[in-house]
Amino acid sequence: MFDLQPLEERIRTAAAARRPLRIRAGGSKDFYGGPLAGELLEVGALSGVTLCEPTELVLSARAGTPVAELERVLAAHGQMLAFEPPQFAGRATLGGAVASGLSGPRRVYCGAVRDFVLGVEVIDGRGERLSFGGKVIKNVAGFDVSRLMVGSLGTLGVLTEVTLKTVPRPRAECTLRFEMDQPKALESMRLWATRPLPLSATEWEDGVLHVRLSGAEAAVRAARQDLGGEIVDGAHNRWESVREQQLPFFTAARELWRVSLPVDSPPLPAAGPTLIEWGGSLRWLSGPQDGNALRTLAGRLGGHATLYRAPSKPPSGPFQPLSSAMLSVHKRLKAVFDPHGIFNRGRLYPDF
Amino acid sequence: MRHPIIERLRRALPAGAVLSSSEELKPYECDALTLYRQMPLAVALPADEAQVAAVLRLCHEAQVPVIARGAGTGLSGGATPRADAVLLSLARLSRIVGIEPLARTARVQPGVRNLAISEAAAPYNLYYAPDPSSQIACTIGGNVAENSGGVHCLKYGLTVHNVLALRVATLEGEVLEIGSAAPDAPGYDLLALLTGSEGLLGVVTEVTVRLIPKPQCARVVLAVFDDLAKAGRAVADVIAAGITPAGLEMMDRPTIAAVEPFVRAGYPLDAEAILLCESDGAPAEVEEEILHMESVLRGAGATECRVSRDEAERLRFWAGRKAAFPAMGALSPDYYCMDGSIPRRRLAAVLQAIREMEGRYGLRCTNVFHAGDGNLHPLILFDSNIADEVARAEAFGAEILELCVREGGSITGEHGVGMEKIDQMCVQFGSGELAVFHAVKHAFDERGLLNPGKAVPTLHRCAELGRLHVRGGQLPHPELPRF
Ligand SMILES: Cc1cc2nc3c(=O)[nH]c(=O)nc-3n(C[C@H](O)[C@H](O)[C@H](O)COP(=O)(O)OP(=O)(O)OC[C@H]3O[C@@H](n4cnc5c(N)ncnc54)[C@H](O)[C@@H]3O)c2cc1C
């Protein structure tokens, strides 16, 4: 058994002294979210798969387990993580994937991180060990605290173990390439999504749309004939680069905005290059933007804009501000789990 | 003497929107868990969000508890009234606000029936996937409050996977906009927190759901087993083979015997169990998958596999499953529907254990359930006119649920805790988790006026039952009232 006691004690001591802690495992997402404040609390050592039940499509692991390791274990059983979280050169961990809530190319077709979280073990801001959810697919007992942890960026507690639902790997996969301008690509992705096609990823950049089909052999074959386009060989690497944000578009040393919109939103006016994923609902904008104007526009369209990566962290925070009613709910929930405000202060919002 | 809140509600709402005479209140005295009955103080029937907020504000001011109610089809007593509480019916908020075929979303008021959403989306070849068996009656607001599931949730997810945004009125009458049609709304995932919160945190006044394209075709395999445990193992085998059926349901012998005369689906009356295993998708894909399913099911010991040849036959195979609950009425004056969930590989063992309990409690129990996701629905048959049968049925149910927890499962897969399973919450959770639930409740509803006494037991109650797990010898959240 892993001894969690030292971690609990460290948290209790910090809570008593009101000393902020900064939770970190692989450090692959140091760039993400607000400023990194507080004494370092390293949790990367909390590693290892604790339950692998391929016949149940369930996997539990300690939060510091690298995502890459989970994928290796699952691949041996013909399974995978449906939400394709980035592995960031092997440094991304399960806890970080859950805390950041960042999903990959399959997001809108198969589900997000939160859709596959079944249970969590967490140490709260009083140093108390708690367990929510479970290891079964269906469970509605108690409030869904497990999913509340997803995207909370460590502000509610230290995740120590997570249970996920896994999925079988698709039997067949095929990538198609189309030359299209942005409006046409958006329209095509939208129309295709209203039909029962085995779509599993879409990505548009610089006049080229890539579409991945995954599923049963027959379904992929039929969809391929139906959609047309040009078959891309060896597309696996391209999708890896999208998932890992390793395309030159992502690695340029410039501001990177991540704008999430309802799928029927028009093209955004952008100062620099745009890359589109998720059937049109994720728009990456590279280069400096008028942040306020972008947020206003995104909000008006029913979405939000995140300053995903920037040379320096902005004081207003990277995330779209909450309404005052929602902010006060957030503060009250923060106080439930972390009454002394010690975890990852300011990482999600400057207010807590 | 009439409670003053009744007059205040009358002034705030249109004529006829406040019920208070006993004839008027009678239809609201219970939900579908009819073991618990209680007349409410009054029933309020607001017609829009502003009126809902007004009811909540008035109740908050007067410190009168409020219980939201959709269609009252809940099976755990979530909408059971209290004598000191206003029952807030959402039935009149029954408008489909809009369908956006290109965005594949529907915005609806909470009182819209589950099936009405799919009906409204049908012209666009889209539908709303979660399909509780009660879908002709239950409301989307109730579905959100319970995180309801259905036959097709194995492949398409539960309510929580298919709802994009909510408008929620708080007890203070403020409206929160939660989630969005855009993926991954900023901040905490309040959408998940509110889904399945059983009306304890706020009242849902609008729901935006995701619609999905209708599959081109669907076929179902009816697999026959001469042994219940074999059928249980077949379920685990199907999942282990990497198949995700669109639905995978089980019916045991007594269920088959009860429904066959009703629906004439052609079920074999000598089978110990049948499985209905559905595949949907493109025609060639379905054909491929059906073959795979058949071979796994035969390998697991199915004595016969019938594959639906056309849509009419598919619907006939399903008809018995859909009619199972009403058909039970003919078998027994009363039945009690349990809802535990377990890992699928434990199905055979748990079904066996339930068989043994039947003898001990002297009551029959039939099984018709969502086998593919390990969600049991043992139906305990009893007669409330026989002196101790109610008590025996309740004890039988409690033992099944506690077994589910021991097997690594949950006391409720989709029906919610409500009033019914409140004691078993003390078995599934320790005091630390329960205290967090109370604190979360407190964060939304300081005075505990929203649906009090449901879903989360007081620590005091668990302690009295001798079931309080206290870690480290210390009660958590000492600052909170000790309930
Ligand atoms: C024959 C039958 C079959 C069933 N099959 C299934 C099934 O397959 N799967 C399944 O999951 N369930 C099933 N159920 C259970 C039930 O239908 C579901 O729980 C359903 O979601 C309840 O909806 P309702 O509108 O009837 O809610 P109600 O019973 O009126 O209320 C349920 C709970 O939700 C709360 N609530 C209602 N509306 C709101 C709102 N607007 N805001 C906040 N809280 C609210 C209530 O306070 C209560 O706690 C079945 C029930 C029956 C009778």
Side-chain angles (χ1 to χ4, degrees):
Chain A
M1 266 308 286
F2 225 90
D3 188 10
L4 291 174
Q5 207 144 358
L7 191 56
E8 289 170 23
E9 260 150 39
R10 174 110 190 260
I11 293 168
R12 277 193 214 116
T13 314
R18 310 286 189 269
R19 210 169 53 236
L21 296 173
R22 168 191 161 202
I23 310 164
R24 187 174 195 263
S28 71
K29 297 180 192 76
D30 281 350
F31 70 88
Y32 187 62
L36 307 175
E39 197 178 293
L40 201 59
L41 184 68
E42 298 268 14
V43 291
L46 274 176
S47 175
V49 172
T50 52
L51 172 106
C52 177
E53 294 268 15
T55 63
E56 295 289 320
L57 302 177
V58 167
L59 174 117
S60 307
R62 294 195 188 93
T65 315
V67 172
E69 187 182 327
L70 298 181
E71 293 283 19
R72 263 197 308 277
V73 169
L74 290 172
H77 297 289
Q79 295 177 9
M80 62 178 196
L81 298 176
F83 51 95
E84 293 188 311
Q87 304 182 0
F88 290 143
R91 287 190 303 141
T93 64
L94 173 58
V98 170
S100 67
L102 292 172
S103 312
R106 263 191 175 74
R107 162 70 178 92
V108 292
Y109 303 105
C110 303
V113 183
R114 52 95 81 175
D115 294 316
F116 294 89
V117 168
L118 299 177
V120 299
E121 313 242 320
V122 62
I123 305 179
D124 73 6
R126 298 177 186 78
E128 176 153 10
R129 215 183 297 174
L130 301 164
S131 168
F132 296 98
K135 300 185 194 298
V136 285
I137 304 300
K138 280 172 86 175
N139 178 6
V140 296
F143 298 130
D144 195 346
V145 174
S146 313
R147 289 196 171 89
L148 187 65
M149 294 294 150
V150 180
S152 64
L153 275 179
T155 57
L156 299 177
V158 178
L159 291 166
T160 57
E161 189 170 314
V162 178
T163 299
L164 296 174
K165 177 178 182 272
T166 64
V167 295
R169 271 177 186 277
R171 300 176 157 235
E173 205 146 84
C174 169
T175 295
L176 301 173
R177 179 183 189 278
F178 301 83
E179 298 207 355
M180 283 182 185
D181 62 12
Q182 191 182 149
K184 177 83 176 117
L186 286 173
E187 190 196 320
S188 303
M189 288 188 278
R190 242 176 353 242
L191 283 176
W192 291 334
T194 62
R195 298 175 40 208
L197 296 166
L199 300 167
S200 72
T202 43
E203 180 252 338
W204 178 91
E205 188 198 353
D206 206 13
V208 177
L209 174 65
H210 284 97
V211 176
R212 184 177 65 187
L213 304 167
S214 313
E217 204 79 60
V220 170
R221 198 181 327 116
R224 194 181 72 207
Q225 280 156 7
D226 182 346
L227 295 185
E230 184 190 323
I231 296 179
V232 182
D233 292 319
H236 180 74
N237 292 341
R238 178 162 190 100
W239 292 114
E240 280 300 294
S241 319
V242 175
R243 171 179 181 170
E244 299 303 328
Q245 297 156 13
Q246 283 304 310
L247 293 173
F249 173 90
F250 291 110
T251 52
R254 322 169 68 184
E255 266 182 25
L256 185 59
W257 284 82
R258 193 176 194 263
V259 188
S260 172
L261 298 173
V263 72
D264 55 346
S265 307
L268 292 179
T274 298
L275 187 145
I276 301 176
E277 285 190 77
W278 298 0
S281 50
L282 179 59
R283 319 278 173 96
W284 295 96
L285 307 180
S286 169
Q289 314 287 333
D290 175 347
N292 287 333
L294 185 59
R295 286 201 163 129
T296 308
L297 175 61
R300 210 174 57 214
L301 293 169
H304 59 275
T306 303
L307 181 48
Y308 184 74
R309 208 189 263 279
S312 63
K313 303 218 176 203
S316 62
F319 300 108
Q320 184 108 358
L322 300 170
S323 69
S324 68
M326 283 289 268
L327 182 60
S328 73
V329 173
H330 276 67
K331 287 184 183 163
R332 290 196 300 262
L333 284 172
K334 166 79 172 172
V336 167
F337 292 90
D338 180 17
H340 310 302
I342 57 169
F343 291 138
N344 285 5
R345 250 183 219 176
R347 187 86 189 258
L348 188 58
Y349 282 101
D351 317 75
F352 56 85
Chain B
M1 211 200 69
R2 285 235 320 234
H3 196 288
I5 189 74
I6 295 174
E7 212 31 61
R8 284 186 220 163
L9 289 171
R10 286 230 160 93
R11 263 180 276 143
L13 297 180
V18 181
L19 314 179
S20 62
S21 75
S22 56
E23 312 85 86
E24 288 172 324
L25 297 182
K26 187 79 181 155
Y28 297 91
E29 68 172 352
C30 64
D31 63 9
L33 180 63
T34 52
L35 278 175
Y36 306 133
R37 288 174 198 270
Q38 171 65 54
M39 297 280 254
L41 179 60
V43 174
L45 291 154
D48 58 29
E49 182 181 271
Q51 292 176 16
V52 171
V55 172
L56 289 167
R57 221 175 288 123
L58 289 172
C59 289
H60 182 229
E61 266 167 33
Q63 300 211 34
V64 172
V66 198
I67 300 169
R69 175 182 166 112
T73 67
L75 287 168
S76 56
T80 307
R82 285 163 60 114
D84 64 350
V86 169
L87 196 72
L88 171 56
S89 165
L90 282 306
R92 290 188 182 172
L93 278 80
S94 59
R95 204 161 50 81
I96 294 187
V97 182
I99 305 254
E100 299 287 342
L102 273 185
R104 283 171 292 117
T105 58
R107 253 174 71 200
V108 303
Q109 291 188 323
V112 169
R113 291 172 306 112
N114 172 296
L115 189 61
I117 303 175
S118 290
E119 284 168 354
Y124 310 102
N125 253 323
L126 299 169
Y127 76 112
Y128 175 63
D131 55 346
S133 309
S134 52
Q135 70 179 156
I136 50 168
C138 65
T139 67
I140 188 71
N143 293 173
V144 169
E146 301 286 15
N147 189 15
S148 298
V151 164
H152 289 93
C153 288
L154 181 54
K155 184 165 175 182
Y156 297 103
L158 307 166
T159 303
V160 71
H161 302 111
N162 288 281
V163 167
L164 298 172
L166 298 176
R167 289 175 66 87
V168 174
T170 65
L171 189 58
E172 288 84 15
E174 197 168 16
V175 174
L176 299 174
E177 292 183 60
I178 292 175
S180 63
D184 306 334
Y188 295 145
D189 195 340
L190 298 185
L191 194 59
L193 185 67
L194 266 293
T195 306
S197 65
E198 302 194 26
L200 266 72
L201 304 181
V203 174
V204 176
T205 55
E206 190 179 284
V207 186
T208 304
V209 300
R210 188 167 76 102
L211 302 173
I212 60 172
K214 273 198 205 152
Q216 281 168 274
C217 80
R219 293 174 77 191
V220 62
V221 188
L222 188 164
V224 181
F225 290 85
D226 57 9
D227 177 56
L228 194 59
K230 272 191 208 161
R233 277 191 294 273
V235 171
D237 288 355
V238 168
I239 304 300
I243 302 173
T244 308
L248 180 51
E249 301 281 308
M250 191 190 295
M251 275 187 264
D252 68 1
R253 184 181 186 116
T255 311
I256 300 168
V259 301
E260 181 56 23
F262 252 77
V263 296
R264 309 218 171 275
Y267 297 153
L269 291 168
D270 55 349
E272 280 303 318
I274 59 175
L275 289 179
L276 290 171
C277 186
E278 181 152 286
S279 170
D280 67 11
E285 172 186 14
V286 170
E287 194 155 329
E288 198 177 290
E289 194 169 64
I290 288 277
L291 285 177
H292 192 190
M293 286 171 171
E294 263 193 282
S295 85
V296 174
L297 291 165
R298 284 188 198 280
T303 53
E304 188 193 346
C305 284
R306 298 184 201 161
V307 181
S308 63
R309 280 159 300 187
D310 51 34
E311 191 58 11
E313 190 170 43
R314 185 182 79 90
L315 294 176
R316 199 158 62 244
F317 283 179
W318 277 114
R321 168 64 183 92
K322 301 228 161 171
F325 285 74
M328 286 305 150
L331 270 195
S332 166
D334 300 285
Y335 64 80
Y336 186 29
C337 176
M338 307 311 295
D339 175 45
S341 70
I342 52 169
R344 290 167 280 223
R345 73 192 139 74
R346 300 300 299 157
L347 274 174
V350 170
L351 291 173
Q352 194 54 44
I354 294 175
R355 276 277 158 90
E356 281 150 23
M357 290 179 210
E358 284 188 289
R360 256 192 297 124
Y361 289 98
L363 292 173
R364 287 171 65 200
C365 178
T366 70
N367 288 283
V368 43
F369 63 100
H370 310 306
D373 35 37
N375 190 180
L376 301 169
H377 285 332
L379 291 181
I380 300 169
L381 310 182
F382 69 100
D383 181 348
S384 53
N385 291 322
I386 299 178
D388 67 331
E389 285 210 354
V390 175
R392 268 191 282 146
E394 285 184 305
F396 189 168
E399 185 170 343
I400 294 174
L401 297 185
E402 287 166 27
L403 174 64
C404 291
V405 175
R406 274 203 308 283
E407 292 288 353
S410 170
I411 58 172
T412 171
E414 60 179 17
H415 294 167
V417 173
M419 271 180 78
E420 180 205 17
K421 289 179 277 271
I422 199 140
D423 291 344
Q424 282 74 41
M425 282 294 281
C426 315
V427 178
Q428 188 164 335
F429 293 97
S431 62
E433 291 79 15
L434 290 173
V436 166
F437 293 152
H438 281 286
V440 167
K441 163 87 172 145
H442 195 79
F444 284 84
D445 170 17
E446 225 171 306
R447 297 189 176 138
L449 295 174
L450 281 170
N451 213 2
K454 314 281 177 68
V456 186
T458 60
L459 293 180
H460 180 70
R461 185 177 179 118
C462 293
E464 277 187 345
L465 291 166
R467 283 170 171 163
L468 189 62
H469 307 300
V470 180
R471 289 201 200 106
Q474 216 185 350
L475 274 181
H477 291 263
E479 75 283 7
L480 287 179
R482 282 279 69 108
F483 321 112

